[in-house]
Amino acid sequence: MLAGVAHELNNPLSVVVGHSLMLKEEITDPELTARINKIGSAAERCAKIVKTFLAMARQQPSKIENVDVAGVIETAADVAGYGNTSGDIAIVRNVSDNLLPIAADADQITQVIINLIINAEQALSRSGKGDLIEISAVSNPDTEMVEITVQDNGPGIPAAIRARIFEPFFTTKEVGEGTGIGLAFCHRIILSHGGQIRLDQSGATGTRFRITLPAAVREMSEIDAPTNSVSAPANLRALIVDDEVDVGELNAEMLRREGFDVEFVSTGKEALKCLRTSNYDIFLSDLNMPDIDGRKIYETLVSQFPKMLERTAYITGDTMGQNSRALLTEAGLPYLEKPVSPAELRDLVAMLLAEQKDMPDGQSERAHSGLR
């Protein structure tokens, strides 16, 4: 169900997010820019909700990068604070200086902290006891771990149910007020990052959750850092196939603005025909398409166009479906999950061009010359 919902929502969200970001790069009028920002922010919020549920289902991080813990805590506190309209509950941040970065999916860790803050707010509001939530973070260079603590001065969790709080669908809230997946989600996400989350409550009042996560092993190198610019010569060609015409045309427009000669088709059959009659430096393919889908395209590349494998990536709204996950694992090709921003697309294409540097044919040197 999650895979189907994600696929159906991510395609139209791709159009909204993509066009809003492209307009933001073009428009200079302050009033129009403000409206565009509101559209983009709303669409990105929807996209993050979809990705959050997908993350829970697949139980693994979707994007690992060096993450500033202080920034994650600030974002989580700000977002959770929007729901505290009474102003009776204070959210205090206490983050140590020189905090080590963690290797994590920033959106997922942010959502975990948001869930813990909201749970605390609801417990304090329902009971009428307590008025303080404190979020703290310290790092231990010796163990290379970072500890994040979310605690409150509320009524606490009764001893009788403490052992069950991380069970899926277990909740003490009234029907319609809670699903029982919040703490289960937190538990799965933290474990998938190689960390631990535990309830640290010894007394009858106040609740404290402790999260420990591995610190980042190394700083991002120049290779890891986003390129965010392609500057392609006019003779570089790209082929894009997507049965969602609006999405495919949007991605094609993004690459044309980077100087690519782009051909867009809406069926796998047309894409294979193009590959047989023309040469391309970049090939971006959807996964779920009628008739000839991403798997059939991959199998054709392996058997008939093996050199194109170095130039191919997937852009898909479905990374949860059994067939999609099997193909992505088997093929090992790079992919982006919809909705895709112009910056993400530029980074993906730059990476594909860079990987062609050591290929023996002349096309590879010509393609690599477009990377800056």
Side-chain angles (χ1 to χ4, degrees):
M1 183 186 70
L2 283 172
V5 170
H7 183 262
E8 293 304 316
L9 286 179
N10 279 334
N11 279 311
L13 283 174
S14 296
V15 178
V16 181
V17 171
H19 279 294
S20 65
L21 290 173
M22 291 175 70
L23 284 172
K24 187 176 179 179
E25 294 176 353
E26 299 172 357
I27 300 299
T28 58
D29 180 86
E31 184 176 347
L32 290 177
T33 300
R35 292 185 179 183
I36 292 167
N37 286 337
K38 289 181 179 179
I39 294 171
S41 297
E44 288 176 352
R45 182 182 177 189
C46 293
K48 286 183 178 180
I49 291 172
V50 174
K51 289 183 178 182
T52 294
F53 277 98
L54 285 177
M56 180 179 176
R58 62 174 157 246
Q59 302 182 45
Q60 64 183 18
S62 59
K63 182 180 180 182
I64 294 294
E65 57 189 356
N66 284 9
V67 174
D68 174 26
V69 177
V72 166
I73 290 175
E74 181 177 1
T75 299
D78 289 344
V79 172
Y82 295 148
N84 180 23
T85 56
S86 66
D88 296 334
I89 301 173
I91 300 177
V92 177
R93 285 161 280 183
N94 183 17
V95 180
S96 67
D97 296 331
N98 302 319
L99 195 63
L100 294 174
I102 58 175
D105 183 311
D107 289 337
Q108 292 183 12
I109 301 302
T110 302
Q111 190 63 54
V112 167
I113 299 174
I114 289 173
N115 284 355
L116 294 177
I117 297 173
I118 291 177
N119 279 353
E121 287 179 338
Q122 292 175 344
L124 269 59
S125 297
R126 287 199 309 268
S127 66
K129 299 178 180 179
D131 58 1
L132 177 65
I133 300 171
E134 182 178 2
I135 314 158
S136 59
V138 296
S139 55
N140 188 333
D142 295 332
T143 61
E144 295 187 338
M145 300 294 287
V146 174
E147 182 178 89
I148 303 170
T149 303
V150 179
Q151 62 182 358
D152 62 60
N153 61 351
I157 298 175
I161 64 171
R162 291 174 190 173
R164 301 191 59 193
I165 59 173
F166 293 114
E167 292 180 12
F169 308 111
F170 175 77
T171 180
T172 60
K173 299 175 184 177
E174 297 294 329
V175 175
E177 291 185 3
T179 60
I181 64 173
L183 287 177
F185 166 81
C186 294
H187 189 258
R188 289 186 180 186
I189 290 302
I190 297 302
L191 287 184
S192 74
H193 281 76
Q196 292 184 339
I197 179 172
R198 66 184 187 276
L199 174 65
D200 182 9
Q201 179 177 329
S202 55
T205 62
T207 300
R208 181 190 296 115
F209 284 95
R210 292 188 183 274
I211 300 170
T212 54
L213 289 165
V217 175
R218 62 183 176 88
E219 294 295 326
M220 290 181 66
S221 67
E222 292 183 2
I223 296 176
D224 297 323
T227 304
N228 212 20
S229 181
V230 181
S231 184
N235 59 346
L236 282 186
R237 304 192 66 204
L239 173 64
I240 296 177
V241 56
D242 198 313
D243 65 325
E244 291 283 341
V245 175
D246 288 341
V247 176
E249 289 181 342
L250 170 65
N251 292 332
E253 184 179 352
M254 291 181 189
L255 290 190
R256 290 190 183 107
R257 295 189 179 196
E258 300 300 324
F260 281 88
D261 176 12
V262 184
E263 188 165 358
F264 165 65
V265 294
S266 59
T267 68
K269 182 178 180 180
E270 292 176 287
L272 295 182
K273 181 179 178 181
C274 290
L275 291 173
R276 293 187 179 99
T277 57
S278 303
N279 294 320
Y280 298 95
D281 301 283
I282 297 294
F283 178 32
L284 304 179
S285 174
D286 190 12
L287 276 185
N288 289 342
M289 297 181 289
D291 194 17
I292 297 178
D293 59 6
R295 171 163 289 282
K296 291 182 180 178
I297 286 177
Y298 171 69
E299 292 172 349
T300 304
L301 293 181
V302 171
S303 61
Q304 299 181 30
F305 311 103
K307 291 183 179 180
M308 284 302 301
L309 290 170
E310 295 285 342
R311 309 176 181 192
T312 299
Y314 290 114
I315 297 180
T316 177
D318 173 26
T319 57
M320 263 303 300
Q322 184 176 0
N323 293 335
S324 297
R325 294 178 67 179
L327 174 59
L328 292 173
T329 301
E330 177 184 342
L333 297 178
Y335 67 91
L336 288 178
E337 193 171 45
K338 298 175 182 176
V340 176
S341 70
E344 289 175 323
L345 189 62
R346 287 192 289 261
D347 289 342
L348 175 66
V349 170
M351 181 186 67
L352 290 174
L353 293 177
E355 289 179 350
Q356 296 176 35
K357 178 180 179 180
D358 298 325
M359 291 176 63
D361 62 296
Q363 287 273 6
S364 63
E365 292 301 322
R366 177 168 64 90
H368 183 65
S369 67
L371 178 68
R372 91 175 170 189

